[in-house]
């Protein structure tokens, strides 16, 4: 059966264009691991970007690996077949370093599964000189890595294009000719402390109050406090595009290009808008240069960013790309930044679905979450979409937001019905609207947001709201999709957890993903992390990091949202780099 796993890796590699296969001779070997399936991982632009940049360094060889597909996992476990890299089909245990790129908290268990399947001790303390070093980058590494510090040797905080190269090349130098491998590892961990944007948790001790909250974080051996994220000063210097193409992704053969980092909107629920500060837009010329590389393998391009339609020169960029014969898609569109020209360009590019995200069903609740989008502006955007004749329209909302009422939930149905009515009313052929979809997710209070003090809504209450929405929307022919609140609850536990959450992850691994059993055996209470409102003075498990946003400003935004302080317009300034 292990032979068939090897063949599957070879087949996937053969179906790709742009993969980098390097000789291992004398190079530091890195397994860049996305802790989900190949389809999900290869759809991730950040994963592809780091893969390409690391392979530009002559002293490094970087190969990709993924969580085995669901149908293969039981056979991997039964045969104890290790996870293999894609490029050379080598077991992960043969690599010098395992580098996880982790974007979703619910993939934490997958990280441990991959290590276990590969015969690598899951805890850092149990690994010896013959085992790979284990590190992690991605959004989860710098929003709150504390639940994973027992398993990961170091984390990359911030954008890893520069710090990743520095750390790996440092290890390459220190291990070369080292007489004592164990001593070389310890020297490497100490040397990492000098690289900004690297967090080495073994040099920090966390103390707790009797009530279980964090009392203090004590650094030693010269470890920095706070630990500061690393950010690219000039984004134009690092092209961010999907170099590897394969049909086996969410986007097919489409090339993904990043237009910038961060978002200046300041929505109170959004972590990305905070931790990527300051907002940095790429120059149009830099994006067009990246597009020239992309056009060597196709004419479909997807523009990626926190809010692509907010890119200051979006019309100029779209015009330039269309002049080159490029079909353009956008990853995210704000209803109040839609324009007739933008919609027309998307339609001409073959866009079949236009998506907007009101997030909340009423003006009142959108004001609470600082989503400055009125019902009137939403309806104007819907009219633009109606006039475009695109066959599919999607609207995204959240439930369980702070201060949400039954009227806010009913507002989702009311707004969706109004949208459907206006689209059908403005179109000569009602059948041109093939489908209107309402997608709903459960709000999870995340670190580094104004709502990090808030409690998550109870799972049962979220289930009840979803059932009511499904009933009312399907009555009028509106398609309804939603997440699963119990998994959103788990996400909250992992996103807001401290170092003790490692025990929960180990129990879930032991019981093969049976989270209910893991919860029963875990001595901690998951509601302590997910559904408990925090007092303003409480210290968070992530407070010893500095990621670009200030706690005192978030406190003010939280108090404004809760009606404890008057609202005041906040001006956000983007920078061009």
């Amino acid at each position: 059966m292990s032979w068939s796993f090897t063949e599957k890796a070879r087949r996937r590699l053969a179906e790709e264009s742009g993969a980098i296969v390097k000789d291992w001779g004398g190079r530091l070997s890195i397994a860049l691991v996305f802790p989900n399936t190949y389809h999900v991982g290869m759809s991730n632009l950040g994963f592809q970007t780091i893969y390409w940049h690391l392979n530009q360094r002559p002293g490094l060889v970087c190969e990709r690996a993924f969580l085995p597909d669901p149908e293969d996992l039981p056979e991997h476990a039964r045969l104890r077949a290790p996870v293999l890299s894609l490029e050379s089909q080598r077991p992960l245990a043969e690599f010098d370093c395992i580098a996880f790129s982790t974007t979703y908290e619910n993939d934490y268990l997958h990280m441990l599964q991959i290590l276990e399947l590969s015969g690598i001790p899951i805890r850092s303390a149990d690994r010896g000189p013959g085992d790979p070093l284990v590190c992690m980058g991605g959004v989860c590494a710098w929003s709150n890595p504390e639940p994973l510090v027992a398993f990961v040797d170091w984390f990359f905080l911030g954008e890893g294009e520069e710090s990743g190269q520095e750390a790996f090349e440092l290890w390459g130098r220190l291990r070369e000719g080292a007489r004592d491998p164990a001593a070389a590892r310890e020297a490497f961990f100490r040397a990492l402390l000098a690289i900004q944007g690297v967090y080495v948790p073994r040099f920090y001790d966390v103390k707790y109050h009797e009530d279980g909250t964090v009392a203090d974080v004590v650094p030693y051996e010269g470890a920095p406090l706070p630990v500061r994220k690393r950010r690219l000063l000039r984004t134009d210097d690092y092209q961010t595009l999907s170099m590897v193409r394969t049909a086996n992704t969410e986007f097919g053969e489409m090339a993904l290009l990043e237009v910038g980092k961060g978002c200046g909107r300041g929505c109170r629920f959004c972590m990305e808008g905070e931790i990527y500060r300051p907002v940095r837009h790429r120059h149009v010329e830099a994006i067009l240069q990246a597009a020239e590389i992309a056009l060597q393998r196709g004419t479909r391009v997807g523009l990626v960013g926190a809010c692509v339609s907010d890119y200051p020169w979006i019309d100029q960029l779209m015009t330039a790309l269309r002049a080159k014969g490029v079909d353009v898609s956008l990853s995210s569109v704000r209803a109040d930044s839609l324009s007739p020209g933008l919609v027309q360009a998307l339609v001409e590019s073959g866009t079949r679905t236009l998506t907007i995200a009101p997030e909340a069903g009423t003006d009142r609740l959108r004001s609470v979450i600082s989503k400055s989008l009125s019902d009137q502006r939403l309806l104007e955007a819907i009219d633009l979409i109606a006039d475009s004749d695109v066959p599919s329209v999607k609207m995204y909302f959240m439930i369980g937001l702070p201060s949400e009422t039954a009227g806010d939930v009913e507002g989702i149905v009311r707004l969706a019905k109004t949208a459907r009515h206006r689209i059908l009313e403005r179109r000569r052929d009602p059948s041109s609207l093939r489908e209107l979809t309402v997608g709903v997710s459960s709000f999870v209070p995340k670190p580094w947001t104004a709502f990090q003090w808030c409690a998550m809504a109870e799972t049962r209450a979220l289930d009840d709201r979803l059932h009511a929405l499904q009933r009312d929307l399907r009555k009028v022919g509106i398609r309804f999709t939603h997440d699963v609140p119990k998994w959103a609850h788990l996400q909250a536990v992992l996103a807001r957890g401290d170092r003790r959450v490692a025990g929960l992850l180990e129990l879930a691994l032991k019981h093969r993903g049976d989270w209910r059993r893991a919860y029963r055996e875990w001595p901690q209470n998951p509601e302590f992390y997910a559904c408990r409102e925090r007092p303003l003075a409480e210290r968070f498990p992530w407070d010893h990091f500095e990621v670009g946003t200030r706690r005192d400003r978030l406190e003010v935004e939280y108090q404004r949202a809760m009606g404890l302080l008057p609202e005041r317009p906040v001006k956000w300034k983007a920078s061009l780099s």
Side-chain angles (χ1 to χ4, degrees):
M1 190 66 183
S2 60
W3 175 85
S4 67
F5 297 146
T6 302
E7 281 303 301
K8 190 170 190 175
R10 288 174 177 164
R11 187 171 64 251
R12 280 180 168 163
L13 192 65
E15 292 170 348
E16 294 180 342
S17 64
I20 303 171
V21 180
K22 297 172 74 172
D23 181 75
W24 278 38
R27 293 187 171 98
L28 184 80
S29 57
I30 305 161
L32 181 63
V33 183
F34 195 91
N36 208 306
T37 63
Y38 175 86
H39 179 87
V40 177
M42 287 305 296
S43 303
N44 185 279
L45 181 57
F47 177 78
Q48 287 224 32
T49 298
I50 293 298
Y51 169 74
W52 189 82
H53 282 295
L54 288 179
N55 273 313
Q56 302 313 298
R57 311 301 293 184
L60 307 178
V61 54
C62 179
E63 300 187 359
R64 293 161 293 152
F66 306 88
L67 181 75
D69 292 331
E71 64 271 18
D72 294 335
L73 265 175
E75 282 298 287
H76 268 280
R78 185 179 70 83
L79 298 172
R80 297 188 177 181
V83 175
L84 305 176
S85 71
L86 201 63
E87 284 76 4
S88 66
Q89 300 89 53
R90 296 181 193 236
L92 297 193
E94 295 184 9
F95 284 78
D96 297 313
C97 297
I98 308 295
F100 285 103
S101 177
T102 309
T103 307
Y104 312 106
E105 291 88 355
N106 289 26
D107 283 340
Y108 289 178
L109 178 59
H110 297 157
M111 294 172 59
L112 304 193
Q113 288 176 314
I114 289 169
L115 291 174
E116 184 182 58
L117 286 172
S118 301
I120 300 168
I122 63 170
R123 279 192 169 255
S124 302
D126 297 331
R127 294 194 285 267
D131 295 310
L133 297 173
V134 177
C135 61
M136 177 178 143
V139 173
C140 290
W142 43 309
S143 59
N144 176 25
E146 291 301 287
L148 294 171
V149 300
F151 316 115
V152 177
D153 293 316
W154 79 91
F155 297 85
F156 292 107
L157 272 61
E159 292 136 13
E161 286 88 341
E162 295 172 336
S163 57
Q165 295 172 13
E166 293 170 13
F168 292 126
E169 290 180 343
L170 172 64
W171 176 230
R173 293 192 299 272
L174 289 176
R175 70 167 190 142
E176 189 174 341
R179 295 182 180 180
D180 184 346
R185 288 165 78 103
E186 289 304 313
F188 170 64
F189 293 139
R190 288 183 176 85
L192 279 176
L193 297 175
I195 299 178
Q196 183 179 337
V198 171
Y199 173 50
V200 190
R202 67 188 62 208
F203 296 113
Y204 298 83
D205 184 34
V206 178
K207 301 183 183 301
Y208 298 91
H209 292 297
E210 288 186 6
D211 65 359
T213 58
V214 175
D216 197 9
V217 175
V218 181
Y220 55 96
E221 298 198 31
L225 191 74
V227 187
R228 291 183 170 86
K229 77 169 184 181
R230 185 75 164 266
R231 66 181 178 89
L232 297 180
L233 297 178
R234 288 185 51 83
T235 53
D236 284 356
D237 293 344
Y238 290 87
Q239 288 182 337
T240 301
L241 71 158
S242 51
M243 296 292 192
V244 181
R245 304 285 185 84
T246 174
N248 300 314
T249 71
E250 188 72 26
F251 307 101
E253 297 286 354
M254 178 187 295
L256 304 180
L257 305 178
E258 185 183 65
V259 300
K261 297 184 182 296
C263 173
R265 293 282 183 162
C267 297
R268 289 170 177 149
F269 60 84
C270 180
M271 184 175 70
E272 186 172 357
E274 297 293 342
I275 66 176
Y276 279 97
R277 289 175 177 273
V279 179
R280 285 148 292 155
H281 298 300
R282 297 179 187 275
H283 288 86
V284 172
E285 294 78 9
I287 298 173
L288 293 177
Q289 287 175 8
E292 289 295 335
I293 299 173
L295 289 174
Q296 295 172 11
R297 300 193 213 121
T299 60
R300 297 182 64 225
V301 165
L303 301 180
V304 176
C307 188
V308 179
S309 58
D310 276 355
Y311 180 65
W313 308 281
I314 186 64
D315 288 338
Q316 178 186 344
L317 178 60
M318 291 289 287
T319 299
L321 289 172
R322 292 296 297 147
K324 294 177 180 290
V326 177
D327 291 332
V328 187
S329 177
L330 272 58
S331 67
S332 53
V333 177
R334 281 277 303 207
D336 55 355
S337 56
L338 274 180
S339 65
L342 178 57
V343 172
Q344 183 62 30
L346 290 172
V347 171
E348 290 175 356
S349 292
T351 296
R352 307 292 291 168
T353 302
L354 283 174
T355 303
I356 56 174
E359 307 294 2
T362 61
D363 276 344
R364 183 202 71 82
L365 190 53
R366 283 193 292 276
S367 175
V368 169
I369 66 177
S370 196
K371 183 93 173 180
S372 54
L373 192 60
S374 67
D375 281 349
Q376 181 57 40
R377 188 63 188 91
L378 273 169
L379 295 178
E380 291 171 4
I382 288 166
D383 289 345
L384 278 176
I385 293 172
D387 294 339
S388 72
D389 282 339
V390 291
S392 295
V393 180
K394 291 183 179 179
M395 302 175 71
Y396 283 118
F397 298 88
M398 285 187 287
I399 58 169
L401 287 161
S403 83
E404 181 181 76
T405 66
D408 296 314
V409 179
E410 292 165 4
I412 295 174
V413 177
R414 189 164 53 249
L415 188 57
K417 289 167 68 174
T418 301
R420 185 173 183 272
H421 172 75
R422 289 177 80 102
I423 293 172
L424 293 176
E425 187 178 49
R426 293 176 72 93
R427 292 190 176 180
R428 295 177 181 176
D429 179 10
S431 66
S432 65
L433 179 62
R434 188 184 66 207
E435 190 171 68
L436 173 63
T437 301
V438 167
V440 172
S441 61
S442 305
F443 165 71
V444 175
K446 288 294 187 79
W448 306 111
T449 70
F451 290 154
Q452 62 185 340
W453 288 273
C454 296
M456 184 176 177
E458 298 279 346
T459 300
R460 182 175 297 180
L462 294 170
D463 281 328
D464 290 343
R465 291 171 205 176
L466 288 175
H467 291 150
L469 285 168
Q470 184 173 50
R471 180 194 64 228
D472 293 343
L473 290 169
R474 287 186 174 175
K475 280 181 183 177
V476 292
I478 296 174
R479 183 169 176 261
F480 181 62
T481 63
H482 61 87
D483 68 350
V484 180
K486 71 175 182 179
W487 297 125
H489 178 277
L490 172 63
Q491 183 188 145
V493 173
L494 299 177
R496 294 149 66 87
D498 52 43
R499 296 186 174 194
R500 294 168 295 185
V501 173
L504 174 65
L505 289 164
E506 287 178 308
L507 286 168
L509 179 68
K510 174 184 175 183
H511 298 310
R512 300 289 175 247
D514 186 342
W515 287 98
R516 182 174 297 179
R517 187 174 177 185
Y519 278 143
R520 285 200 305 267
E521 296 182 15
W522 191 38
Q524 309 297 323
N525 181 359
E527 306 306 330
F528 175 83
Y529 299 101
C531 299
R532 178 176 64 88
E533 187 168 349
R534 311 305 204 257
L536 269 177
E538 180 173 327
R539 178 169 187 154
F540 293 116
W542 50 89
D543 273 348
H544 55 298
F545 305 121
E546 186 178 289
V547 300
T549 189
R550 298 197 326 272
R551 176 175 170 134
D552 59 348
R553 188 186 63 76
L554 295 176
E555 286 183 8
V556 169
E557 289 302 304
Y558 167 71
Q559 292 179 86
R560 286 178 177 152
M562 298 296 103
L564 303 175
L565 289 175
E567 284 283 5
R568 180 174 59 84
V570 180
K571 296 181 180 179
W572 307 99
K573 184 180 291 185
S575 68
L576 179 63
S577 68

